[in-house]
Amino acid sequence: MLKVIFHIDEMDKWKLVLGNAKNMLNAEPDSGVAVLANSEAVRLYADRVHEQYPVMLALAAEGVSFIACRNALKLEALDEDALPPEISVVPAGVAELAKKQHSGYAYIRP
Amino acid sequence: MLKVIFHIDEMDKWKLVLGNAKNMLNAEPDSGVAVLANSEAVRLYADRVHEQYPVMLALAAEGVSFIACRNALKLEALDEDALPPEISVVPAGVAELAKKQHSGYAYIRP
Amino acid sequence: MLKVIFHIDEMDKWKLVLGNAKNMLNAEPDSGVAVLANSEAVRLYADRVHEQYPVMLALAAEGVSFIACRNALKLEALDEDALPPEISVVPAGVAELAKKQHSGYAYIRP
């Protein structure tokens, strides 16, 4: 199975990243797709009125895994417990990116 | 053999990416070098008056493989059949990036 | 051991990259962390009054490996021999990024 992790750390990249994730699913329906947000990009997860928020939830419903970096959530003063259940939180985004690559995920940074 | 795929999705990164590809060839003449363009970056392939267009063709002549994402070509309203023969087209750029990494290519995103 | 190489080619990404490297060390104290600078980003290594310069040296003291691309140093007209001893220089940054990935390093481009 093709596994891919997308890395995003800028808010203005969300449209591109979510479009990339959708293209990946369309091209390879059986692939495993994850999106790791760190730095300011974690804000989308808590921003229910952002135009890309429903796009993100729709992709989550299609099986895309959305991950937040806890360090970034703290820096952005976002309450982890207030995030939607689709988001999983890891202690450090960069460590997760490394672990995912070591477990066979390709890395894509749009 | 060292294999590398460069990923570009912004037009203003072409000079940097092509310079990086040239440095790679100079440092490792036997390496396999590919450049995958998606999003707006596919425009260079159809822009014969762009200053980086001849640089791209010269690198293709030296063996660098240039790849376009079909999704991106459609979004940019570019005619696939009008591209120069040096360009190969894949159905989805992100899937190609994942496959290349799984087949041993290192990934570099300048 | 988890090994990671961070890639930076823009000066204004140093704060983010050094913060990422610090987070990596905090999360995985036994990991091997390298930072490869090419393009204009090599300037930090020679800029002793830059606010991120002492941050870089402190991370080097914690074991982070800082690498400069010789091609980039030449383009920036920086004297390799004037760099602090913490910096190692490689002939081509992109070749180093490829070799590191082929030797088991995960790649992260903040």
Side-chain angles (χ1 to χ4, degrees):
Chain A
M1 190 183 75
L2 213 51
K3 295 182 289 185
V4 182
I5 187 158
F6 290 95
H7 176 201
I8 177 169
D9 52 23
E10 295 157 301
M11 277 302 286
D12 64 9
K13 288 288 180 88
W14 270 112
K15 187 177 179 184
L16 177 60
V17 166
L18 296 178
N20 280 182
K22 182 67 180 170
N23 283 341
M24 186 72 205
L25 281 184
N26 288 347
E28 304 281 338
D30 296 327
S31 59
V33 180
V35 176
L36 184 293
N38 61 7
S39 200
E40 65 171 37
V42 296
R43 283 187 218 146
L44 180 73
Y45 294 152
D47 187 356
R48 285 152 207 267
V49 298
H50 193 289
E51 63 157 21
Q52 295 298 315
Y53 188 88
V55 182
M56 184 263 292
L57 287 188
L59 283 167
E62 289 189 67
V64 176
S65 163
F66 287 92
I67 307 166
C69 169
R70 183 168 291 137
N71 292 319
L73 292 171
K74 284 178 185 166
L75 277 173
E76 298 290 331
L78 292 174
D79 179 7
E80 186 173 323
D81 297 326
L83 298 181
E86 288 83 356
I87 311 300
S88 60
V89 179
V90 294
V94 288
E96 185 69 13
L97 289 170
K99 288 174 184 170
K100 280 278 196 290
Q101 289 180 66
H102 286 301
S103 71
Y105 278 74
Y107 171 89
I108 298 180
R109 199 287 201 188
Chain B
M1 191 182 75
L2 213 52
K3 294 183 289 185
V4 182
I5 188 160
F6 290 95
H7 176 203
I8 176 168
D9 53 22
E10 295 157 300
M11 276 302 287
D12 65 7
K13 288 288 179 88
W14 271 111
K15 187 177 178 184
L16 177 60
V17 167
L18 296 179
N20 280 182
K22 181 69 180 167
N23 284 341
M24 187 70 205
L25 281 184
N26 288 347
E28 304 281 337
D30 296 326
S31 60
V33 180
V35 176
L36 183 292
N38 62 7
S39 200
E40 66 169 36
V42 295
R43 283 187 219 148
L44 180 73
Y45 294 151
D47 187 356
R48 286 154 206 268
V49 298
H50 193 289
E51 62 156 23
Q52 294 299 313
Y53 187 87
V55 182
M56 184 262 290
L57 287 189
L59 283 167
E62 289 189 67
V64 175
S65 163
F66 287 93
I67 308 165
C69 170
R70 183 167 290 137
N71 292 320
L73 291 172
K74 284 179 186 165
L75 277 172
E76 298 289 333
L78 293 174
D79 180 6
E80 186 173 324
D81 297 325
L83 298 181
E86 289 83 356
I87 312 300
S88 59
V89 179
V90 294
V94 289
E96 184 70 12
L97 287 171
K99 288 173 184 171
K100 279 279 196 288
Q101 289 180 66
H102 286 301
S103 71
Y105 278 73
Y107 171 90
I108 298 180
R109 200 287 202 187
Chain C
M1 189 183 75
L2 214 51
K3 294 182 289 184
V4 182
I5 188 159
F6 290 94
H7 176 201
I8 176 168
D9 53 23
E10 295 157 301
M11 276 302 287
D12 65 7
K13 287 289 180 84
W14 270 112
K15 187 177 178 184
L16 177 60
V17 166
L18 296 178
N20 279 181
K22 181 70 181 168
N23 283 340
M24 187 71 204
L25 281 184
N26 287 346
E28 303 281 336
D30 297 327
S31 59
V33 180
V35 176
L36 184 292
N38 62 8
S39 200
E40 65 169 37
V42 295
R43 282 188 220 147
L44 180 73
Y45 294 152
D47 187 356
R48 285 155 207 269
V49 298
H50 193 288
E51 63 156 21
Q52 293 300 313
Y53 188 87
V55 182
M56 184 262 291
L57 288 188
L59 283 167
E62 288 189 68
V64 176
S65 163
F66 287 92
I67 308 166
C69 170
R70 183 168 291 137
N71 293 319
L73 292 173
K74 285 178 185 166
L75 277 173
E76 298 289 333
L78 293 173
D79 180 7
E80 187 174 321
D81 296 327
L83 298 180
E86 289 82 357
I87 311 300
S88 58
V89 178
V90 294
V94 287
E96 183 70 12
L97 288 170
K99 288 174 184 171
K100 280 278 197 289
Q101 289 180 64
H102 286 301
S103 71
Y105 277 73
Y107 171 89
I108 298 180
R109 201 286 203 188

